[in-house]
Amino acid sequence: MRPQSLIFSFLGIYALDRGTAISSGSVIEVFARLGVSEEAVRSTLARMVKRDLVTRLRVGRKAYIELTPYAEAVLRDGRRRIWETGAVNRDWDGTWTVVGFSLPDSRRSTRHDLRSRLVWAGFGPLQSGLWIAPGTKEVTDVFDALDVDDHVTVLTARAFRPTEAADLVAKAFDIEQIARRYRAFLARWDVTRPLPDAPDDLVRQLLLHTDWLQLVRQDPHLPAEHLPADWPAIRAEQVFHARAMEYERPALKVAGDLLDGITP
């Protein structure tokens, strides 16, 4: 896992909506428990400042970090994906959001960025320049800063014979790859004692949340009725909730002993 992903999980749990800034030294101390070096933490925080994810404050000789409004929006989206959207789409209404685009070769880099953003937003490539996602998706953010509005068409649609929804799922999405990710999660967390070498439940909590958020962000949230009956996301979601509850109180106690925060 990248240090930034872990730090983002940490900030989502212990900084979001708390109105506090956390000392850099506290963050370094927490991540030393995960085997992340002080140098790696400092360089990651510096990159996060440049990306407008955190700001630095100085009080006396201590440095503190505080979430920016942009980071808060990203973290709230992650929290919705974890606790509200869920891993299994049982409420699909049969509609698809369709994005068609055609960019000239002179904008090859933009084309690559657009594809990456579509994957992140839950879209899959149906055919060249035509991508789909289940449900009605708000895609304005996908196109932000890319200057592609004149090259993109966005529609909502439903499958019509001879096309079947199951065929669209099979063509546009790698079902087995998604399933493998969930099985890997279960192999790590659906055991009697996960991560026995971890020093405490704060470490387990941060690794668990980071694992899970990466999973659900990569999951296109496909309709349950078009997935195998033994879809591993069902069990994985149950395991995540059980482990998250198990680690919450002991992790909070460890964090309370380590964290130095102020209200700006």
Side-chain angles (χ1 to χ4, degrees), residues 44-64:
T44 299
L45 291 176
R47 287 194 298 272
M48 293 175 74
V49 170
K50 289 181 180 178
R51 294 182 59 199
D52 190 35
L53 294 169
V54 297
T55 56
R56 282 199 176 105
L57 307 173
R58 187 163 287 279
V59 180
R61 301 182 63 181
K62 286 188 176 181
Y64 292 81

Side-chain angles (χ1 to χ4, degrees), residues 94-133:
T95 63
W96 297 89
T97 300
V98 181
V99 173
F101 62 89
S102 179
L103 294 169
D105 285 342
S106 60
R107 301 196 63 188
R108 191 174 301 170
S109 175
T110 303
R111 188 190 307 151
H112 173 76
D113 289 344
L114 176 57
R115 287 169 176 162
S116 297
R117 289 186 178 207
L118 286 169
V119 170
W120 190 250
F123 284 80
L126 188 59
Q127 57 192 59
S128 179
L130 189 65
W131 291 59
I132 61 171

Side-chain angles (χ1 to χ4, degrees), residues 152-188:
V152 169
T153 300
V154 183
L155 306 167
T156 57
R158 301 179 76 89
F160 194 75
R161 292 181 180 177
T163 301
E164 299 289 344
D167 298 331
L168 297 177
V169 169
K171 288 178 181 178
F173 302 94
D174 189 339
I175 303 300
E176 184 51 38
Q177 183 184 59
I178 299 168
R180 278 197 299 270
R181 294 188 192 119
Y182 281 110
R183 293 189 194 107
F185 178 89
L186 288 168
R188 189 177 199 187

Side-chain angles (χ1 to χ4, degrees), residues 199-232:
D200 51 55
D201 282 345
L202 174 60
V203 169
R204 293 185 183 90
Q205 180 192 51
L206 294 177
L207 291 171
L208 173 74
H209 278 253
T210 305
D211 256 359
W212 187 247
L213 183 56
Q214 289 179 341
L215 260 183
V216 296
R217 281 199 180 279
Q218 293 175 23
D219 188 336
H221 212 230
L222 298 171
E225 63 260 44
H226 298 301
L227 294 171
D230 60 347
W231 188 238

Side-chain angles (χ1 to χ4, degrees), residues 4 7-9 11-13 15-17 48-49 51-55 65-80 213 217:
Q4 181 171 302
I7 290 175
F8 234 43
S9 292
L11 294 173
I13 297 170
L16 182 62
D17 294 333
M48 293 175 74
V49 170
R51 294 182 59 199
D52 190 35
L53 294 169
V54 297
T55 56
I65 59 167
E66 183 181 17
L67 291 170
T68 64
Y70 170 57
E72 289 178 347
V74 173
L75 289 172
R76 287 195 185 100
D77 177 67
R79 187 164 62 190
R80 282 192 295 271
L213 183 56
R217 281 199 180 279

Side-chain angles (χ1 to χ4, degrees), residues 238-261:
Q238 294 168 347
V239 169
F240 168 75
H241 283 284
R243 293 298 182 199
M245 185 177 299
E246 176 185 345
Y247 299 147
E248 184 175 8
R249 286 191 177 183
L252 184 61
K253 184 178 185 305
V254 176
D257 293 337
L258 294 174
L259 296 184
D260 171 22

